[in-house]
Amino acid sequence: MIGFAHRGAPAPHQRENTLPAFRRALAGGASGLESDAWLTADGVPVLHHDGVLGPPGRRRRISDLTADRLPAWVPSLTAFYAELGTSFEFSLDLKGPPDGWAPAADAVVAVARSAGGSSAVRRLWLCGTLPELAAFRDRDPDVRLVNSTSMRTVMDGGGVGAYGGRLRAAGVAALNLRTREWTPPRAGIVGVLLDLGIAAFGWDAQSTGTLTRLAGYGLEAVYSDHLARLVRVTGSARHSAGPAA
């Protein structure tokens, strides 16, 4: 079970989505990291949650700024890999790409491939809508694609079997639902997905009880803000957070 540390694991009074926060998560045993990627005005992928910087009244969007105008604490994806290596799973939401989801995904995959070749790309999980993922699949054979959606969308799409079949046809690796949508009556859905070759992910898994319940359902990955609970339930990755050899 992959334990994705949501936006890293910032220490008290430390910013999330920063290199120290990511380093702390890996040092604490997380097997995966999660973040959000934005493209700067000059096309550089950087990691930040909401893509807006500055105090009220002087807010600027990352997509309107070149990389050299960003604060030093906002890491580029290149700096992220240079600092931490590639020996972990990495889940990314692509946010607000001005030219569309696929160009942003191309930029992210190019950086990952430069950092660690196909191995790094195969540990990269890009989250998006089903149309975005289906349109992107042929652009890279290695990257893992994750459909982050809701159970209502799944049921409106004909139910788990039909929707899962479309995911499989589109080359999508995982279905990601919010934790509260993985309820006991739906635990059997995990088996349907696995039969189709689709992994089940759960985000916003915060309590030990919730993490344990999802593990019991057979989910293959969870996202949490609580590093100690996450590692206790999913197991430690037991590796250092330095650059890959």
Side-chain angles (χ1 to χ4, degrees), residues 113-242:
R113 194 173 296 281
S114 177
S118 295
S119 176
V121 177
R122 283 192 292 268
R123 289 188 162 204
L124 182 62
W125 303 80
L126 296 186
C127 302
T129 67
L130 180 50
E132 289 169 337
L133 302 175
F136 183 77
R137 176 72 281 171
D138 290 340
R139 296 166 80 111
D140 191 280
D142 295 320
V143 67
R144 309 293 184 89
L145 302 179
V146 180
N147 180 210
S148 295
T149 188
S150 66
M151 186 59 72
R152 178 174 181 177
T153 297
V154 172
M155 301 313 292
D156 287 347
V160 178
Y163 193 86
R166 287 201 290 279
L167 293 178
R168 179 175 180 174
V172 174
L175 175 68
N176 186 26
L177 300 176
R178 190 166 192 160
T179 293
R180 66 189 182 202
E181 299 206 81
W182 291 113
T183 59
R186 291 172 176 161
I189 290 172
V190 177
V192 176
L193 292 171
L194 293 180
D195 287 344
L196 290 167
I198 307 296
F201 286 13
W203 64 276
D204 195 25
Q206 307 301 357
S207 71
T208 298
T210 295
L211 288 161
T212 302
R213 175 172 60 85
L214 297 181
Y217 289 171
L219 268 70
E220 295 191 25
V222 287
Y223 299 78
S224 181
D225 296 319
H226 297 281
L227 179 63
R229 300 170 193 171
L230 180 70
V231 172
R232 188 162 56 244
V233 174
T234 64
S236 172
R238 300 186 186 280
H239 70 273
S240 65

Side-chain angles (χ1 to χ4, degrees), residues 11-25:
H13 311 296
Q14 186 180 72
R15 295 179 188 271
E16 63 188 15
N17 282 319
T18 60
L19 294 181
F22 294 130
R23 192 184 310 114
R24 184 170 183 266

Side-chain angles (χ1 to χ4, degrees), residues 22-182:
F22 294 130
R23 192 184 310 114
R24 184 170 183 266
L26 293 178
S31 54
L33 298 175
E34 184 276 346
S35 190
D36 308 281
W38 298 78
L39 288 187
T40 62
D42 49 344
V44 176
V46 299
L47 306 178
H48 191 264
H49 177 58
D50 58 12
V52 180
L53 301 169
R58 290 191 293 160
R59 307 280 276 171
R60 298 292 304 276
R61 294 181 300 178
I62 284 176
S63 58
D64 293 334
L65 300 171
T66 55
D68 61 356
R69 297 183 63 192
L70 299 182
W73 53 265
V74 177
S76 69
L77 187 58
T78 297
F80 169 90
Y81 279 124
E83 173 80 11
L84 303 173
T86 61
S87 59
F88 51 86
E89 306 299 317
F90 189 30
S91 176
L92 273 178
D93 284 332
L94 304 186
K95 297 289 191 71
D99 298 320
W101 193 91
D106 282 336
V108 165
V109 171
V111 171
R113 194 173 296 281
S114 177
S118 295
S119 176
V121 177
R122 283 192 292 268
R123 289 188 162 204
L124 182 62
W125 303 80
L126 296 186
C127 302
T129 67
L130 180 50
E132 289 169 337
L133 302 175
F136 183 77
R137 176 72 281 171
D138 290 340
R139 296 166 80 111
D140 191 280
D142 295 320
V143 67
R144 309 293 184 89
L145 302 179
V146 180
N147 180 210
S148 295
T149 188
S150 66
M151 186 59 72
R152 178 174 181 177
T153 297
V154 172
M155 301 313 292
D156 287 347
V160 178
Y163 193 86
R166 287 201 290 279
L167 293 178
R168 179 175 180 174
V172 174
L175 175 68
N176 186 26
L177 300 176
R178 190 166 192 160
T179 293
R180 66 189 182 202
E181 299 206 81
W182 291 113

